Structures are given as structure tokens and as C-alpha cells.
DNA sequence: AATCAATTTAGCAATTTAGCTAAATATAAA
DNA sequence: TTTATATTTAGCTAAATTGCTAAATTGATT
């Protein structure tokens, strides 16, 4: 369950143009690294991308993209899985579900007249 | 329909501890200004609060709160309605619905394998 | 062991953000 | 019209953010 600090981190991560576009690109896919066929990681989706594949799509230096990805990972909106010497990046769907639910509940409770604590804490 | 820039602004507005707490407080209520009974504004909810009522709950100077509220209004997550010499503040439920839907669709499409453009633009 | 490839870390500069106080504005009340 | 109340604007400072390049790290390959 996401607490207030978790949510603030998530919104902060998405509240920057570069990171938003990176996030969108990770969801949209189409710039996948080739996941090794010989030793596939079952938990990696076909569209999993890596840091340099993402960086190619942007006019920023690779270390800049790397640091943005780190912030997004710290906010738990993406996962980064090391395999060989590449790092495969995927969206964290469970967190997205929690955020979706958070807003849905916020609206629902508000319309029902229920006082809702946005971050589920007292 | 919210575009990419709209969403970034919304996330940025919520991605700051002070603003998040202000937003939560606006939703939670309990610190309402007395809306004038003689000349009630029908479109104001009972819990509508004003700038100084919000500021009282925080250890920041009033102009600081005012500027945060302005940013939240610019992001359209709250509305500010002038009545007499007070400004009544309410959450913008329609925007919250759009954000909720945005995340719900993001997750749903992802799980269906549909390539979803997070910001609904090509 | 040396080299290559992918990524991160360190250190720097420019910009933005977030707080403050003091002054300005706008409306209401006396 | 003066005064009081509510809010914003202006101008300042300190801290955080976002970009860069160069160097370090990590793992794979030769």
C-alpha cells in the first residue's frame, strides 16, 4: 500500500517533461533491446528496453537519461533488471494499478460525501 | 481531454510535499470558511475553504501558501472562486476523474497488449 | 589480462523552486 | 473616506533540479 511519501515521489517522477516522455516511451515500446534468446528471462516482457535504447530516442546525453531512470526506479514506477551487461527496463504495472485505484477512490468517496484521506494515512 | 503538458503540470503540482498536503487538506475538509448564508453561492460545496483557512494549518507564511494554490489552480486540480473578499477553494473533481481514467486505461491497455499513448496524442 | 560495451558516479554550471518579508491590491465595513 | 480583512505581487536567498563531460565501474569477449 502506497503511503504519502511514495505518492509524492511518483508524482514528482512523472511531473517532469523528460521523465514523462521516457515513461511514455517505456510503455509505448517499439525500441526494445534484443533480449537474449539463448537465456531468456521469463519475467521480462518482449518489449523490454535498455538504457541506451531509451537514450537513443532523446537529445540528451546518456548519463542524463540514466539519472532520470534511477529516479523513476526509486519512485518504483519502473523496474530495472540486470541481465548480462544490459539493464532491461519495464513499467511497474502494480504501482500503476495502485495509483489508478487511488484516484478512483478519491473521486468515488468524494462524490459519496465520504472524507477520504488521499494517502490512506491518518 | 488532457494533453501531455496538462498531465505533467498536474503531476508536478502533486509532486511536492507541501502542495500534496494542501491538496489532501482541501479534499479532507474540516477547515472550512463560513460560506455566507445570506448570499450562498450554489456552486460552492459546504466544505469550501479559503486561502487563510488553509494557511492556518501549515507552518508556512500565507504568501507561500498562496503561491502554491496558484500553481495548483494553474494545473487545474483546484478551483478558486472569489466571493466577497474571500476566495473559496475546491478540488476539481472532473480533472481527478480524467486522471483516474488515464491510469486505468494505461493499465488496462497494457494488460490487453494494446500500445497506449499515455497522453492520448500521436 | 586486455579490451569492449553498457551503465553509473562525480563534479560542475545554469536554471528553477520554495521559502521569506514587505509592499500592493481589492473588497467590505465603519 | 478611512480602516480592516483577504489575498497577491515583488524582490530576495538558499536549496534543489537538470543538464553536461569526464572518469569509474561492471560484466562479457578476445
Amino acid at each position: 500500500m502506497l503511503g504519502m511519501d511514495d505518492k509524492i515521489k511518483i508524482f514528482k517522477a512523472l511531473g517532469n517533461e523528460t521523465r514523462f516522455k521516457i515513461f511514455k516511451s517505456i510503455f509505448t515500446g517499439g525500441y526494445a533491446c534484443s533480449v537474449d534468446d539463448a537465456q531468456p528471462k521469463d519475467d521480462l516482457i518482449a518489449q523490454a528496453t535498455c538504457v541506451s535504447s531509451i537514450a537513443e530516442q532523446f537529445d540528451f546525453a546518456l548519463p542524463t537519461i540514466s539519472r532520470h531512470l534511477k529516479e523513476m526506479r526509486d519512485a518504483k514506477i519502473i523496474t530495472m533488471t540486470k541481465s548480462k551487461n544490459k539493464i532491461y527496463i519495464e513499467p511497474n504495472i502494480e504501482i500503476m494499478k495502485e495509483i489508478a485505484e487511488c484516484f478512483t477512490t478519491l473521486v468515488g468517496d468524494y462524490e459519496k460525501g465520504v472524507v477520504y484521506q488521499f494517502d490512506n494515512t491518518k
Side-chain angles (χ1 to χ4, degrees), chain A residues 11-45:
Chain A
F11 295 138
K12 191 172 194 176
L14 291 172
N16 167 273
E17 187 174 345
T18 303
R19 282 190 300 270
F20 188 96
K21 286 178 177 168
I22 291 172
F23 187 70
K24 198 165 106 69
S25 145
I26 291 168
F27 255 94
T28 308
Y31 295 91
C33 282
S34 55
V35 178
D36 191 359
D37 290 332
Q39 289 189 311
K41 302 266 294 185
D42 293 334
D43 54 339
L44 286 178
I45 60 163

PDB file of all heavy atoms in Angstrom, chain A residues 11-45:
ATOM      1  N   PHE A  11       4.536  11.173  -8.231  1.00  0.00           N
ATOM      2  CA  PHE A  11       4.069  12.355  -8.963  1.00  0.00           C
ATOM      3  C   PHE A  11       5.245  13.224  -9.382  1.00  0.00           C
ATOM      4  O   PHE A  11       5.270  13.765 -10.491  1.00  0.00           O
ATOM      5  CB  PHE A  11       3.072  13.154  -8.112  1.00  0.00           C
ATOM      6  CG  PHE A  11       1.806  12.412  -7.823  1.00  0.00           C
ATOM      7  CD1 PHE A  11       1.226  12.438  -6.565  1.00  0.00           C
ATOM      8  CD2 PHE A  11       1.192  11.662  -8.818  1.00  0.00           C
ATOM      9  CE1 PHE A  11       0.055  11.744  -6.295  1.00  0.00           C
ATOM     10  CE2 PHE A  11       0.021  10.959  -8.563  1.00  0.00           C
ATOM     11  CZ  PHE A  11      -0.548  11.001  -7.294  1.00  0.00           C
ATOM     12  N   LYS A  12       6.228  13.332  -8.508  1.00  0.00           N
ATOM     13  CA  LYS A  12       7.423  14.095  -8.840  1.00  0.00           C
ATOM     14  C   LYS A  12       8.127  13.475 -10.050  1.00  0.00           C
ATOM     15  O   LYS A  12       8.565  14.180 -10.964  1.00  0.00           O
ATOM     16  CB  LYS A  12       8.359  14.119  -7.630  1.00  0.00           C
ATOM     17  CG  LYS A  12       9.492  15.079  -7.746  1.00  0.00           C
ATOM     18  CD  LYS A  12      10.241  15.171  -6.425  1.00  0.00           C
ATOM     19  CE  LYS A  12      11.160  16.371  -6.407  1.00  0.00           C
ATOM     20  NZ  LYS A  12      11.826  16.521  -5.096  1.00  0.00           N
ATOM     21  N   ALA A  13       8.212  12.163 -10.039  1.00  0.00           N
ATOM     22  CA  ALA A  13       8.878  11.465 -11.149  1.00  0.00           C
ATOM     23  C   ALA A  13       8.162  11.724 -12.472  1.00  0.00           C
ATOM     24  O   ALA A  13       8.798  11.893 -13.510  1.00  0.00           O
ATOM     25  CB  ALA A  13       8.951   9.965 -10.858  1.00  0.00           C
ATOM     26  N   LEU A  14       6.841  11.794 -12.427  1.00  0.00           N
ATOM     27  CA  LEU A  14       6.063  11.990 -13.653  1.00  0.00           C
ATOM     28  C   LEU A  14       5.865  13.473 -13.979  1.00  0.00           C
ATOM     29  O   LEU A  14       5.406  13.808 -15.066  1.00  0.00           O
ATOM     30  CB  LEU A  14       4.705  11.302 -13.529  1.00  0.00           C
ATOM     31  CG  LEU A  14       4.737   9.767 -13.505  1.00  0.00           C
ATOM     32  CD1 LEU A  14       3.358   9.208 -13.190  1.00  0.00           C
ATOM     33  CD2 LEU A  14       5.244   9.218 -14.837  1.00  0.00           C
ATOM     34  N   GLY A  15       6.244  14.342 -13.055  1.00  0.00           N
ATOM     35  CA  GLY A  15       6.000  15.773 -13.232  1.00  0.00           C
ATOM     36  C   GLY A  15       7.165  16.519 -13.871  1.00  0.00           C
ATOM     37  O   GLY A  15       7.427  17.668 -13.540  1.00  0.00           O
ATOM     38  N   ASN A  16       7.839  15.857 -14.753  1.00  0.00           N
ATOM     39  CA  ASN A  16       8.960  16.452 -15.474  1.00  0.00           C
ATOM     40  C   ASN A  16       8.865  15.977 -16.916  1.00  0.00           C
ATOM     41  O   ASN A  16       8.662  14.788 -17.167  1.00  0.00           O
ATOM     42  CB  ASN A  16      10.284  15.983 -14.828  1.00  0.00           C
ATOM     43  CG  ASN A  16      11.490  16.293 -15.689  1.00  0.00           C
ATOM     44  OD1 ASN A  16      11.844  15.501 -16.563  1.00  0.00           O
ATOM     45  ND2 ASN A  16      12.125  17.415 -15.449  1.00  0.00           N
ATOM     46  N   GLU A  17       9.002  16.899 -17.843  1.00  0.00           N
ATOM     47  CA  GLU A  17       8.761  16.579 -19.253  1.00  0.00           C
ATOM     48  C   GLU A  17       9.619  15.411 -19.754  1.00  0.00           C
ATOM     49  O   GLU A  17       9.116  14.483 -20.382  1.00  0.00           O
ATOM     50  CB  GLU A  17       9.020  17.816 -20.112  1.00  0.00           C
ATOM     51  CG  GLU A  17       8.632  17.590 -21.558  1.00  0.00           C
ATOM     52  CD  GLU A  17       8.757  18.863 -22.401  1.00  0.00           C
ATOM     53  OE1 GLU A  17       8.859  19.966 -21.817  1.00  0.00           O
ATOM     54  OE2 GLU A  17       8.763  18.746 -23.640  1.00  0.00           O
ATOM     55  N   THR A  18      10.904  15.466 -19.439  1.00  0.00           N
ATOM     56  CA  THR A  18      11.798  14.409 -19.922  1.00  0.00           C
ATOM     57  C   THR A  18      11.401  13.048 -19.357  1.00  0.00           C
ATOM     58  O   THR A  18      11.274  12.070 -20.097  1.00  0.00           O
ATOM     59  CB  THR A  18      13.260  14.735 -19.551  1.00  0.00           C
ATOM     60  OG1 THR A  18      13.592  16.010 -20.095  1.00  0.00           O
ATOM     61  CG2 THR A  18      14.211  13.686 -20.092  1.00  0.00           C
ATOM     62  N   ARG A  19      11.178  13.024 -18.038  1.00  0.00           N
ATOM     63  CA  ARG A  19      10.822  11.738 -17.433  1.00  0.00           C
ATOM     64  C   ARG A  19       9.463  11.241 -17.915  1.00  0.00           C
ATOM     65  O   ARG A  19       9.278  10.043 -18.148  1.00  0.00           O
ATOM     66  CB  ARG A  19      10.860  11.843 -15.901  1.00  0.00           C
ATOM     67  CG  ARG A  19      12.260  11.805 -15.346  1.00  0.00           C
ATOM     68  CD  ARG A  19      12.265  11.673 -13.831  1.00  0.00           C
ATOM     69  NE  ARG A  19      11.597  12.772 -13.163  1.00  0.00           N
ATOM     70  CZ  ARG A  19      12.205  13.886 -12.773  1.00  0.00           C
ATOM     71  NH1 ARG A  19      13.490  14.053 -12.964  1.00  0.00           N
ATOM     72  NH2 ARG A  19      11.515  14.827 -12.168  1.00  0.00           N
ATOM     73  N   PHE A  20       8.523  12.154 -18.079  1.00  0.00           N
ATOM     74  CA  PHE A  20       7.208  11.751 -18.579  1.00  0.00           C
ATOM     75  C   PHE A  20       7.343  11.089 -19.947  1.00  0.00           C
ATOM     76  O   PHE A  20       6.759  10.041 -20.203  1.00  0.00           O
ATOM     77  CB  PHE A  20       6.285  12.972 -18.661  1.00  0.00           C
ATOM     78  CG  PHE A  20       4.854  12.637 -18.989  1.00  0.00           C
ATOM     79  CD1 PHE A  20       3.915  12.494 -17.977  1.00  0.00           C
ATOM     80  CD2 PHE A  20       4.454  12.474 -20.302  1.00  0.00           C
ATOM     81  CE1 PHE A  20       2.595  12.185 -18.274  1.00  0.00           C
ATOM     82  CE2 PHE A  20       3.133  12.161 -20.607  1.00  0.00           C
ATOM     83  CZ  PHE A  20       2.201  12.015 -19.596  1.00  0.00           C
ATOM     84  N   LYS A  21       8.161  11.716 -20.802  1.00  0.00           N
ATOM     85  CA  LYS A  21       8.347  11.158 -22.145  1.00  0.00           C
ATOM     86  C   LYS A  21       9.068   9.817 -22.108  1.00  0.00           C
ATOM     87  O   LYS A  21       8.771   8.915 -22.886  1.00  0.00           O
ATOM     88  CB  LYS A  21       9.128  12.152 -23.014  1.00  0.00           C
ATOM     89  CG  LYS A  21       8.293  13.336 -23.456  1.00  0.00           C
ATOM     90  CD  LYS A  21       9.121  14.321 -24.271  1.00  0.00           C
ATOM     91  CE  LYS A  21       8.266  15.476 -24.792  1.00  0.00           C
ATOM     92  NZ  LYS A  21       9.099  16.575 -25.344  1.00  0.00           N
ATOM     93  N   ILE A  22      10.033   9.705 -21.198  1.00  0.00           N
ATOM     94  CA  ILE A  22      10.723   8.422 -21.044  1.00  0.00           C
ATOM     95  C   ILE A  22       9.726   7.355 -20.604  1.00  0.00           C
ATOM     96  O   ILE A  22       9.689   6.249 -21.150  1.00  0.00           O
ATOM     97  CB  ILE A  22      11.879   8.533 -20.013  1.00  0.00           C
ATOM     98  CG1 ILE A  22      13.024   9.398 -20.555  1.00  0.00           C
ATOM     99  CG2 ILE A  22      12.386   7.148 -19.629  1.00  0.00           C
ATOM    100  CD1 ILE A  22      14.111   9.720 -19.530  1.00  0.00           C
ATOM    101  N   PHE A  23       8.913   7.724 -19.637  1.00  0.00           N
ATOM    102  CA  PHE A  23       7.915   6.770 -19.115  1.00  0.00           C
ATOM    103  C   PHE A  23       6.968   6.325 -20.223  1.00  0.00           C
ATOM    104  O   PHE A  23       6.702   5.137 -20.399  1.00  0.00           O
ATOM    105  CB  PHE A  23       7.129   7.431 -17.984  1.00  0.00           C
ATOM    106  CG  PHE A  23       6.202   6.492 -17.268  1.00  0.00           C
ATOM    107  CD1 PHE A  23       6.687   5.482 -16.463  1.00  0.00           C
ATOM    108  CD2 PHE A  23       4.826   6.634 -17.404  1.00  0.00           C
ATOM    109  CE1 PHE A  23       5.825   4.612 -15.806  1.00  0.00           C
ATOM    110  CE2 PHE A  23       3.962   5.765 -16.750  1.00  0.00           C
ATOM    111  CZ  PHE A  23       4.460   4.756 -15.953  1.00  0.00           C
ATOM    112  N   LYS A  24       6.492   7.310 -20.972  1.00  0.00           N
ATOM    113  CA  LYS A  24       5.604   7.048 -22.100  1.00  0.00           C
ATOM    114  C   LYS A  24       6.285   6.098 -23.100  1.00  0.00           C
ATOM    115  O   LYS A  24       5.671   5.146 -23.576  1.00  0.00           O
ATOM    116  CB  LYS A  24       5.298   8.384 -22.773  1.00  0.00           C
ATOM    117  CG  LYS A  24       4.095   8.399 -23.668  1.00  0.00           C
ATOM    118  CD  LYS A  24       3.668   9.826 -23.972  1.00  0.00           C
ATOM    119  CE  LYS A  24       4.021  10.245 -25.391  1.00  0.00           C
ATOM    120  NZ  LYS A  24       3.214   9.537 -26.405  1.00  0.00           N
ATOM    121  N   SER A  25       7.555   6.360 -23.345  1.00  0.00           N
ATOM    122  CA  SER A  25       8.295   5.539 -24.294  1.00  0.00           C
ATOM    123  C   SER A  25       8.446   4.106 -23.797  1.00  0.00           C
ATOM    124  O   SER A  25       8.387   3.149 -24.572  1.00  0.00           O
ATOM    125  CB  SER A  25       9.653   6.185 -24.552  1.00  0.00           C
ATOM    126  OG  SER A  25      10.654   5.210 -24.737  1.00  0.00           O
ATOM    127  N   ILE A  26       8.630   3.951 -22.485  1.00  0.00           N
ATOM    128  CA  ILE A  26       8.760   2.607 -21.910  1.00  0.00           C
ATOM    129  C   ILE A  26       7.445   1.852 -22.058  1.00  0.00           C
ATOM    130  O   ILE A  26       7.428   0.653 -22.342  1.00  0.00           O
ATOM    131  CB  ILE A  26       9.191   2.695 -20.425  1.00  0.00           C
ATOM    132  CG1 ILE A  26      10.628   3.207 -20.326  1.00  0.00           C
ATOM    133  CG2 ILE A  26       9.057   1.338 -19.733  1.00  0.00           C
ATOM    134  CD1 ILE A  26      11.050   3.611 -18.922  1.00  0.00           C
ATOM    135  N   PHE A  27       6.333   2.564 -21.898  1.00  0.00           N
ATOM    136  CA  PHE A  27       5.023   1.944 -22.080  1.00  0.00           C
ATOM    137  C   PHE A  27       4.746   1.643 -23.544  1.00  0.00           C
ATOM    138  O   PHE A  27       4.269   0.584 -23.910  1.00  0.00           O
ATOM    139  CB  PHE A  27       3.913   2.859 -21.538  1.00  0.00           C
ATOM    140  CG  PHE A  27       3.360   2.380 -20.251  1.00  0.00           C
ATOM    141  CD1 PHE A  27       3.869   2.854 -19.059  1.00  0.00           C
ATOM    142  CD2 PHE A  27       2.352   1.440 -20.229  1.00  0.00           C
ATOM    143  CE1 PHE A  27       3.367   2.397 -17.854  1.00  0.00           C
ATOM    144  CE2 PHE A  27       1.843   0.980 -19.030  1.00  0.00           C
ATOM    145  CZ  PHE A  27       2.351   1.458 -17.838  1.00  0.00           C
ATOM    146  N   THR A  28       5.054   2.646 -24.358  1.00  0.00           N
ATOM    147  CA  THR A  28       4.733   2.526 -25.774  1.00  0.00           C
ATOM    148  C   THR A  28       5.554   1.438 -26.453  1.00  0.00           C
ATOM    149  O   THR A  28       5.083   0.743 -27.343  1.00  0.00           O
ATOM    150  CB  THR A  28       4.991   3.877 -26.468  1.00  0.00           C
ATOM    151  OG1 THR A  28       4.316   4.892 -25.748  1.00  0.00           O
ATOM    152  CG2 THR A  28       4.525   3.843 -27.901  1.00  0.00           C
ATOM    153  N   GLY A  29       6.794   1.295 -25.999  1.00  0.00           N
ATOM    154  CA  GLY A  29       7.655   0.273 -26.573  1.00  0.00           C
ATOM    155  C   GLY A  29       8.099   0.655 -27.971  1.00  0.00           C
ATOM    156  O   GLY A  29       8.023   1.799 -28.380  1.00  0.00           O
ATOM    157  N   GLY A  30       8.566  -0.327 -28.708  1.00  0.00           N
ATOM    158  CA  GLY A  30       9.000  -0.084 -30.074  1.00  0.00           C
ATOM    159  C   GLY A  30      10.485   0.215 -30.176  1.00  0.00           C
ATOM    160  O   GLY A  30      11.011   0.397 -31.259  1.00  0.00           O
ATOM    161  N   TYR A  31      11.137   0.245 -29.045  1.00  0.00           N
ATOM    162  CA  TYR A  31      12.574   0.492 -29.065  1.00  0.00           C
ATOM    163  C   TYR A  31      13.273  -0.564 -28.221  1.00  0.00           C
ATOM    164  O   TYR A  31      14.190  -0.273 -27.487  1.00  0.00           O
ATOM    165  CB  TYR A  31      12.893   1.882 -28.522  1.00  0.00           C
ATOM    166  CG  TYR A  31      12.357   2.982 -29.386  1.00  0.00           C
ATOM    167  CD1 TYR A  31      11.100   3.515 -29.161  1.00  0.00           C
ATOM    168  CD2 TYR A  31      13.113   3.472 -30.446  1.00  0.00           C
ATOM    169  CE1 TYR A  31      10.592   4.522 -29.958  1.00  0.00           C
ATOM    170  CE2 TYR A  31      12.615   4.474 -31.255  1.00  0.00           C
ATOM    171  CZ  TYR A  31      11.361   4.997 -31.003  1.00  0.00           C
ATOM    172  OH  TYR A  31      10.867   5.993 -31.804  1.00  0.00           O
ATOM    173  N   ALA A  32      12.801  -1.798 -28.378  1.00  0.00           N
ATOM    174  CA  ALA A  32      13.281  -2.859 -27.498  1.00  0.00           C
ATOM    175  C   ALA A  32      14.715  -3.266 -27.800  1.00  0.00           C
ATOM    176  O   ALA A  32      15.146  -3.297 -28.946  1.00  0.00           O
ATOM    177  CB  ALA A  32      12.367  -4.071 -27.615  1.00  0.00           C
ATOM    178  N   CYS A  33      15.439  -3.555 -26.741  1.00  0.00           N
ATOM    179  CA  CYS A  33      16.708  -4.260 -26.860  1.00  0.00           C
ATOM    180  C   CYS A  33      16.363  -5.699 -27.206  1.00  0.00           C
ATOM    181  O   CYS A  33      15.314  -6.197 -26.845  1.00  0.00           O
ATOM    182  CB  CYS A  33      17.420  -4.319 -25.501  1.00  0.00           C
ATOM    183  SG  CYS A  33      18.235  -2.811 -25.039  1.00  0.00           S
ATOM    184  N   SER A  34      17.275  -6.380 -27.858  1.00  0.00           N
ATOM    185  CA  SER A  34      17.042  -7.803 -28.086  1.00  0.00           C
ATOM    186  C   SER A  34      17.346  -8.563 -26.803  1.00  0.00           C
ATOM    187  O   SER A  34      18.467  -8.564 -26.330  1.00  0.00           O
ATOM    188  CB  SER A  34      17.937  -8.303 -29.217  1.00  0.00           C
ATOM    189  OG  SER A  34      19.280  -8.009 -28.926  1.00  0.00           O
ATOM    190  N   VAL A  35      16.319  -9.118 -26.242  1.00  0.00           N
ATOM    191  CA  VAL A  35      16.512  -9.946 -25.055  1.00  0.00           C
ATOM    192  C   VAL A  35      17.111 -11.254 -25.546  1.00  0.00           C
ATOM    193  O   VAL A  35      16.649 -11.819 -26.531  1.00  0.00           O
ATOM    194  CB  VAL A  35      15.163 -10.193 -24.341  1.00  0.00           C
ATOM    195  CG1 VAL A  35      15.355 -11.100 -23.145  1.00  0.00           C
ATOM    196  CG2 VAL A  35      14.534  -8.879 -23.927  1.00  0.00           C
ATOM    197  N   ASP A  36      18.126 -11.704 -24.874  1.00  0.00           N
ATOM    198  CA  ASP A  36      18.867 -12.892 -25.316  1.00  0.00           C
ATOM    199  C   ASP A  36      17.982 -14.126 -25.456  1.00  0.00           C
ATOM    200  O   ASP A  36      17.344 -14.557 -24.509  1.00  0.00           O
ATOM    201  CB  ASP A  36      19.996 -13.171 -24.312  1.00  0.00           C
ATOM    202  CG  ASP A  36      20.973 -14.225 -24.822  1.00  0.00           C
ATOM    203  OD1 ASP A  36      20.773 -14.743 -25.937  1.00  0.00           O
ATOM    204  OD2 ASP A  36      21.921 -14.522 -24.095  1.00  0.00           O
ATOM    205  N   ASP A  37      17.954 -14.669 -26.664  1.00  0.00           N
ATOM    206  CA  ASP A  37      17.115 -15.830 -26.914  1.00  0.00           C
ATOM    207  C   ASP A  37      17.656 -17.093 -26.244  1.00  0.00           C
ATOM    208  O   ASP A  37      16.904 -17.953 -25.824  1.00  0.00           O
ATOM    209  CB  ASP A  37      17.013 -16.086 -28.431  1.00  0.00           C
ATOM    210  CG  ASP A  37      16.187 -15.016 -29.108  1.00  0.00           C
ATOM    211  OD1 ASP A  37      15.300 -14.438 -28.435  1.00  0.00           O
ATOM    212  OD2 ASP A  37      16.425 -14.736 -30.294  1.00  0.00           O
ATOM    213  N   ALA A  38      18.981 -17.149 -26.148  1.00  0.00           N
ATOM    214  CA  ALA A  38      19.601 -18.321 -25.551  1.00  0.00           C
ATOM    215  C   ALA A  38      19.235 -18.456 -24.069  1.00  0.00           C
ATOM    216  O   ALA A  38      18.910 -19.532 -23.595  1.00  0.00           O
ATOM    217  CB  ALA A  38      21.112 -18.253 -25.700  1.00  0.00           C
ATOM    218  N   GLN A  39      19.280 -17.316 -23.386  1.00  0.00           N
ATOM    219  CA  GLN A  39      18.957 -17.346 -21.959  1.00  0.00           C
ATOM    220  C   GLN A  39      17.884 -16.310 -21.636  1.00  0.00           C
ATOM    221  O   GLN A  39      18.158 -15.309 -20.983  1.00  0.00           O
ATOM    222  CB  GLN A  39      20.203 -17.016 -21.120  1.00  0.00           C
ATOM    223  CG  GLN A  39      21.255 -18.112 -21.121  1.00  0.00           C
ATOM    224  CD  GLN A  39      22.344 -17.824 -20.117  1.00  0.00           C
ATOM    225  OE1 GLN A  39      22.879 -16.721 -20.079  1.00  0.00           O
ATOM    226  NE2 GLN A  39      22.677 -18.783 -19.289  1.00  0.00           N
ATOM    227  N   PRO A  40      16.680 -16.537 -22.125  1.00  0.00           N
ATOM    228  CA  PRO A  40      15.645 -15.527 -21.911  1.00  0.00           C
ATOM    229  C   PRO A  40      15.275 -15.431 -20.429  1.00  0.00           C
ATOM    230  O   PRO A  40      15.290 -16.434 -19.720  1.00  0.00           O
ATOM    231  CB  PRO A  40      14.472 -16.064 -22.723  1.00  0.00           C
ATOM    232  CG  PRO A  40      14.684 -17.534 -22.783  1.00  0.00           C
ATOM    233  CD  PRO A  40      16.160 -17.747 -22.774  1.00  0.00           C
ATOM    234  N   LYS A  41      15.006 -14.233 -20.005  1.00  0.00           N
ATOM    235  CA  LYS A  41      14.487 -14.057 -18.640  1.00  0.00           C
ATOM    236  C   LYS A  41      12.968 -14.077 -18.766  1.00  0.00           C
ATOM    237  O   LYS A  41      12.363 -13.213 -19.390  1.00  0.00           O
ATOM    238  CB  LYS A  41      14.940 -12.703 -18.075  1.00  0.00           C
ATOM    239  CG  LYS A  41      16.451 -12.507 -18.030  1.00  0.00           C
ATOM    240  CD  LYS A  41      17.033 -12.901 -16.683  1.00  0.00           C
ATOM    241  CE  LYS A  41      16.564 -11.993 -15.560  1.00  0.00           C
ATOM    242  NZ  LYS A  41      17.221 -12.300 -14.285  1.00  0.00           N
ATOM    243  N   ASP A  42      12.377 -15.092 -18.181  1.00  0.00           N
ATOM    244  CA  ASP A  42      10.938 -15.279 -18.343  1.00  0.00           C
ATOM    245  C   ASP A  42      10.116 -14.084 -17.861  1.00  0.00           C
ATOM    246  O   ASP A  42       9.037 -13.824 -18.358  1.00  0.00           O
ATOM    247  CB  ASP A  42      10.477 -16.519 -17.568  1.00  0.00           C
ATOM    248  CG  ASP A  42      11.043 -17.785 -18.193  1.00  0.00           C
ATOM    249  OD1 ASP A  42      11.319 -17.756 -19.407  1.00  0.00           O
ATOM    250  OD2 ASP A  42      11.195 -18.780 -17.474  1.00  0.00           O
ATOM    251  N   ASP A  43      10.667 -13.386 -16.893  1.00  0.00           N
ATOM    252  CA  ASP A  43       9.895 -12.288 -16.318  1.00  0.00           C
ATOM    253  C   ASP A  43      10.071 -10.982 -17.091  1.00  0.00           C
ATOM    254  O   ASP A  43       9.536  -9.957 -16.710  1.00  0.00           O
ATOM    255  CB  ASP A  43      10.272 -12.088 -14.845  1.00  0.00           C
ATOM    256  CG  ASP A  43      11.766 -11.903 -14.658  1.00  0.00           C
ATOM    257  OD1 ASP A  43      12.535 -12.314 -15.554  1.00  0.00           O
ATOM    258  OD2 ASP A  43      12.167 -11.344 -13.627  1.00  0.00           O
ATOM    259  N   LEU A  44      10.817 -11.018 -18.172  1.00  0.00           N
ATOM    260  CA  LEU A  44      10.959  -9.812 -18.992  1.00  0.00           C
ATOM    261  C   LEU A  44       9.981  -9.867 -20.158  1.00  0.00           C
ATOM    262  O   LEU A  44       9.904 -10.858 -20.866  1.00  0.00           O
ATOM    263  CB  LEU A  44      12.376  -9.686 -19.546  1.00  0.00           C
ATOM    264  CG  LEU A  44      13.472  -9.262 -18.573  1.00  0.00           C
ATOM    265  CD1 LEU A  44      14.810  -9.229 -19.280  1.00  0.00           C
ATOM    266  CD2 LEU A  44      13.169  -7.917 -17.956  1.00  0.00           C
ATOM    267  N   ILE A  45       9.255  -8.788 -20.348  1.00  0.00           N
ATOM    268  CA  ILE A  45       8.330  -8.757 -21.471  1.00  0.00           C
ATOM    269  C   ILE A  45       9.110  -8.572 -22.765  1.00  0.00           C
ATOM    270  O   ILE A  45      10.255  -8.121 -22.760  1.00  0.00           O
ATOM    271  CB  ILE A  45       7.314  -7.607 -21.331  1.00  0.00           C
ATOM    272  CG1 ILE A  45       8.046  -6.249 -21.277  1.00  0.00           C
ATOM    273  CG2 ILE A  45       6.441  -7.808 -20.131  1.00  0.00           C
ATOM    274  CD1 ILE A  45       7.165  -5.074 -21.533  1.00  0.00           C
TER     275      ILE A  45
END
